[in-house]
Structure formats: structure tokens, C-alpha cells
């Protein structure tokens, strides 16, 4: 499966952005989809994930209540709606796909993802 993330850009603190990740290849419904981010000089960290059925979902504590992950299976697309952005959200955001055979345990672990797309840069200005 190939993944293409988009939607990043420059936004003021308190603003919103919606990231998209389009998958090509096998149907998206066979994969857990996750968003991760990597700030300059830091390791890639988990942001959010959604199971192949559209639920359950997992969120990092730092984004709970502000970010929403969703999927549109017919469009083979996963979204990350990001609200109330702050400077700590500045990072390159990556989408990943994890084969459904792995189950839902460990959706927050980047090492468990099988495929990655190119990242999209989100910059939040204060």
C-alpha cells in the first residue's frame, strides 16, 4: 500500500488544519491507520490511530480533546482534524498503515506499522 499525506501548512496558534492521507493499493479497511509526528531534533511520536472498522480510536494525551482522527473507507482516506493548535504541535506529520492481522493492541507503537507515507509539515506560529 502507498500512502500520501497532505494538508500541512502554516497556521496561527489557536487555529485549525485538517490533514489527509490517501492510500492506494489494497482497500484501507484492512489496515489500522495512524498519524505520527516528528518535531525537529525529536523522535517520531504517536498522535492518533483508528482501527480498520472505524473504531476504536487512540489518541496521545497531548492531543486528546483537540484532534480527531476519522476514516472514509470508500475514499481510502484517513483524516486528522487538528484544532486549537499550539507551537508544540509544530512537526512533520506522517500517516502509517498497520495490517489488521496484528489486531488493535499496540496501535500507538510506531514499530508496529508496516507502511509509511511521506510527511506533511505543520508549522504553528505563536
Amino acid at each position: 500500500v502507498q500512502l500520501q499525506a497532505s494538508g500541512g501548512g502554516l497556521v496561527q496558534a489557536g487555529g485549525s488544519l485538517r490533514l489527509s492521507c490517501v492510500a492506494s493499493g489494497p482497500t484501507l479497511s484492512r489496515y489500522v491507520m495512524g498519524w505520527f509526528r516528528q518535531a525537529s531534533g525529536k523522535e517520531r511520536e504517536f498522535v492518533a490511530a483508528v482501527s480498520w472498522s472505524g473504531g476504536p480510536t487512540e489518541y496521545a494525551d497531548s492531543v486528546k480533546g483537540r484532534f480527531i482522527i476519522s476514516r472514509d473507507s470508500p475514499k481510502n482516506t484517513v483524516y486528522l482534524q487538528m484544532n486549537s493548535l499550539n507551537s508544540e504541535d509544530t512537526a512533520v506529520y506522517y500517516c502509517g498503515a498497520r495490517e489488521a492481522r496484528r489486531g488493535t493492541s499496540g496501535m500507538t507503537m510506531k514499530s508496529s506499522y508496516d507502511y509509511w507515507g511521506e510527511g506533511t509539515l505543520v508549522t504553528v506560529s505563536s
Side-chain angles (χ1 to χ4, degrees):
V1 61
Q2 293 183 320
L3 306 174
Q4 180 64 53
S6 63
L10 175 64
V11 63
Q12 289 187 333
S16 299
L17 278 177
R18 188 176 79 157
L19 305 183
S20 300
C21 176
V22 180
S24 59
T27 176
L28 202 60
S29 62
R30 294 167 53 182
Y31 298 90
V32 168
M33 301 300 298
W35 285 98
F36 289 73
R37 66 187 181 187
Q38 187 166 15
S40 179
K42 296 186 177 181
E43 292 190 0
R44 191 174 299 189
E45 65 175 7
F46 170 75
V47 176
V50 60
S51 72
W52 57 90
S53 62
T57 56
E58 290 271 3
Y59 293 93
D61 288 343
S62 59
V63 307
K64 280 181 182 176
R66 300 188 299 123
F67 291 12
I68 300 172
I69 187 171
S70 61
R71 65 193 301 160
D72 186 335
S73 293
K75 293 184 178 180
N76 262 14
T77 302
V78 176
Y79 303 99
L80 184 68
Q81 177 66 42
M82 306 186 295
N83 303 315
S84 301
L85 287 161
N86 58 60
S87 58
E88 294 184 351
D89 297 316
T90 294
V92 177
Y93 284 72
Y94 298 89
C95 63
R98 182 180 127 135
E99 293 182 357
R101 60 181 174 85
R102 299 182 186 273
T104 56
S105 176
M107 288 198 299
T108 65
M109 299 172 59
K110 62 180 182 290
S111 61
S112 71
Y113 283 72
D114 301 290
Y115 307 97
W116 293 96
E118 296 293 329
T120 184
L121 176 63
V122 173
T123 304
V124 183
S125 63
S126 56

